[in-house]
């Protein structure tokens, strides 16, 4: 079946760039997403990318997609303490909400 | 009410008891979802509803049931709770079943089954 994998933990210094990686197995994935979960809260959509794109940039966020290797990354420039959260990668082949597959989440800790 | 609310915030439950987790949204969204979140596993879909009056099974539906009598409410019922149902439960909604990942999440219910 479909599987999405992520490293569970990442620590960076404030002001540095963070790179959160994700790999997926379903080659028919059409839509790929990054969600952020702050402590005690639900998930919030950060950004998404279509499989026919290589890169998407939105302010401090850059998403890179390597479709050949089924690898997705989220880069956060100038990481701030407010970026400390769990980041979930998710994929879907048809954009129907019930077909999303979420990764286990990467807990990002930003050190002063 | 603004967005999605869930109740209770947390609950400790004896095994074998029946429990209903409540979820209400005021955005008039058509689609609603129930997920459980377990450490190291991310979110797994339990049940979903693409519109009022319809429901569907997700990845882990066993032991859970849902109903969608109206647009706003999507309760999740555990008929006879077991310890493996200890988890954090999130309700979510989206304007339509396909909405480019824009699911809005509630604050979650932490359930412990002893």
């Amino acid at each position: 079946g479909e599987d999405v994998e992520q490293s569970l933990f990442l620590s960076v210094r404030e002001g540095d760039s963070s790179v959160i990686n994700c790999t997926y197995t379903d080659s028919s994935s059409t839509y790929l997403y990054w969600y952020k979960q702050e402590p005690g809260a639900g998930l919030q959509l950060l950004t998404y990318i279509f499989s026919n794109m290589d890169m998407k940039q939105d302010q401090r966020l850059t998403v890179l997609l390597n479709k050949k290797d089924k690898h997705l990354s989220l880069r956060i420039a100038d990481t701030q303490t407010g970026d400390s959260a769990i980041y979930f990668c998710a994929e879907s082949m048809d954009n129907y909400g019930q077909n999303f597959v979420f990764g286990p989440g990467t807990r990002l800790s930003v050190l002063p | 009410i603004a967005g999605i609310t869930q109740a209770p915030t947390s609950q400790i439950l004896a095994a074998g008891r029946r429990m209903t987790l409540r979820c209400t949204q005021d955005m008039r969204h058509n689609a609603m979802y129930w997920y459980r979140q377990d450490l190291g596993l991310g979110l797994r879909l339990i049940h979903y509803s693409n519109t009022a009056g319809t429901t569907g099974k997700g990845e882990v539906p066993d032991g859970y049931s849902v109903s969608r009598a109206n647009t706003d409410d999507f309760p999740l019922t555990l008929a006879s709770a077991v310890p493996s149902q200890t988890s954090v439960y999130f309700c979510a909604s989206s304007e339509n079943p396909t909405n480019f990942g824009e699911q809005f999440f509630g604050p979650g219910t932490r359930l412990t089954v002893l």
Side-chain angles (χ1 to χ4, degrees), chain A residues 52-80:
Chain A
N52 61 357
M53 298 166 64
D54 297 324
M55 185 182 85
K56 182 177 181 181
Q57 188 156 4
D58 184 2
Q59 298 182 339
R60 292 191 298 121
L61 304 179
T62 303
V63 179
L64 293 177
L65 175 62
N66 182 327
K67 195 175 179 184
K68 173 176 169 289
D69 294 338
K70 302 192 193 74
H71 182 265
L72 184 73
S73 67
L74 174 69
R75 179 177 180 269
I76 306 173
D78 187 24
T79 311
Q80 303 298 308

Side-chain angles (χ1 to χ4, degrees), chain B residues 27-67:
Chain B
M27 298 175 283
R28 307 301 294 172
H29 283 177
N30 286 305
M32 297 187 75
Y33 313 88
W34 272 107
Y35 293 92
R36 59 177 289 172
Q37 182 180 28
D38 302 291
L39 189 64
L41 295 177
L43 271 73
R44 293 182 292 169
L45 184 67
I46 304 170
H47 285 287
Y48 66 93
S49 169
N50 283 338
T51 189
T54 70
T55 62
K57 293 182 179 180
E59 181 186 353
V60 288
D62 293 343
Y64 305 95
S65 63
V66 292
S67 61

Side-chain angles (χ1 to χ4, degrees), chain A residues 4-10 12 18-22 33-39 43-47 60-61 74-76 79-90 102-110, chain B residues 37 42-43:
Chain A
V4 177
E5 296 184 353
Q6 300 176 241
S7 299
L8 296 184
F9 302 98
L10 176 66
V12 298
S18 308
V19 179
I20 303 171
N21 294 303
C22 169
Y33 309 88
W34 283 105
Y35 281 81
K36 178 183 181 182
Q37 183 183 31
E38 296 183 350
L43 277 67
Q44 181 180 18
L45 179 66
L46 276 180
T47 187
R60 292 191 298 121
L61 304 179
L74 174 69
R75 179 177 180 269
I76 306 173
T79 311
Q80 303 298 308
T81 54
D83 295 324
S84 292
I86 302 176
Y87 291 81
F88 290 90
C89 172
F102 287 86
T106 298
R107 183 180 294 275
L108 175 65
S109 299
V110 182
Chain B
Q37 182 180 28
L43 271 73

